[in-house]
Amino acid sequence: MKDRLTLASSSSIRARLLENAGLSATVTPARIDEDSVKLSLLAEGASPRDMADTLAEMKARKVAERGAEGLVLGCDQVLSFKGEVLSKPETLAAARAQLLRLRGESHQLLSAAVIYEDHTPIWRHVGVARLTMRDFSDSYLDAYLERNWESIRWSVGGYKIEEEGIRLFRTVQGDTFTIQGLPLLELLSYLTLRGTLPK
């Protein structure tokens, strides 16, 4: 890979997606107060798409300003449900309540990625996936959470489709990379077009 790549994220899933695609990236998490930024954006009436894009850009800019060389990739994911942005459930009880709200309904996952170079944003993309949950039983939900809480506790929806969480769904529209938090296909296309990756 021609350009040095820094991932401004603490997400092990994003780092693994890049590694599996053959990209070598230095992981340098950006430290921003996401909750306060989200509250501010919500107060301004920002759309879920704008919220994901803004947070991804803030992360990339923060790490770029620290002097990271080459390309800095910032990412963020937002869950939109009936016009409301849902946050990562902080407790098992909160995850249960959130999944009960989503049960039998459709929601969107918006995964934003922004690349900075020389303190300037040079590329951005927001991938969108639409997911519809099946009408699972309370007993299955409780068993699912008991088995998977440690794995899903950092996931915005309270599930991982690459694991048992796929059993919560009836239909999924969108690529799995976007659902996992990184619009990887679009990122790879851009890096190939600019010559960072070989054609």
Side-chain angles (χ1 to χ4, degrees), residues 32-72:
I32 64 170
D33 187 347
E34 291 190 44
D35 291 335
S36 65
V37 173
K38 284 182 179 179
L39 287 173
S40 176
L41 291 169
L42 286 170
E44 295 171 5
S47 68
R49 184 186 187 91
D50 288 343
M51 186 175 296
D53 180 72
T54 299
L55 286 163
E57 179 166 352
M58 288 181 70
K59 293 173 183 178
R61 184 175 67 241
K62 183 92 171 184
V63 172
E65 288 174 347
R66 288 189 211 151
E69 297 179 3
L71 307 179
V72 179

Side-chain angles (χ1 to χ4, degrees), residues 20 32-33 79 81 84 104 107 118 123 139 148 162:
N20 288 347
I32 64 170
D33 187 347
L79 189 156
F81 176 60
E84 180 183 352
H107 64 272
D118 296 329
W123 177 83
S139 60
N148 295 282
E162 66 271 29

Side-chain angles (χ1 to χ4, degrees), residues 99-143:
L99 288 170
L100 285 173
R101 288 187 67 192
L102 298 175
R103 180 170 62 181
E105 302 277 3
S106 295
H107 64 272
Q108 288 187 325
L109 287 176
L110 300 97
S111 292
V114 176
I115 292 179
Y116 261 62
E117 183 179 35
D118 296 329
H119 307 289
T120 303
I122 59 169
W123 177 83
R124 64 197 330 121
H125 180 81
V126 181
V128 182
R130 181 179 176 86
L131 302 90
T132 302
M133 287 195 169
R134 66 181 182 87
D135 190 19
F136 46 79
S137 66
D138 288 358
S139 60
Y140 175 73
L141 175 59
D142 290 338

Side-chain angles (χ1 to χ4, degrees), residues 14-15 20 22-23 29 52 80 83 86 89 93 111 115 150:
R14 292 187 182 108
N20 288 347
L23 275 67
S80 176
L86 302 186
S111 292
I115 292 179
E150 287 306 316

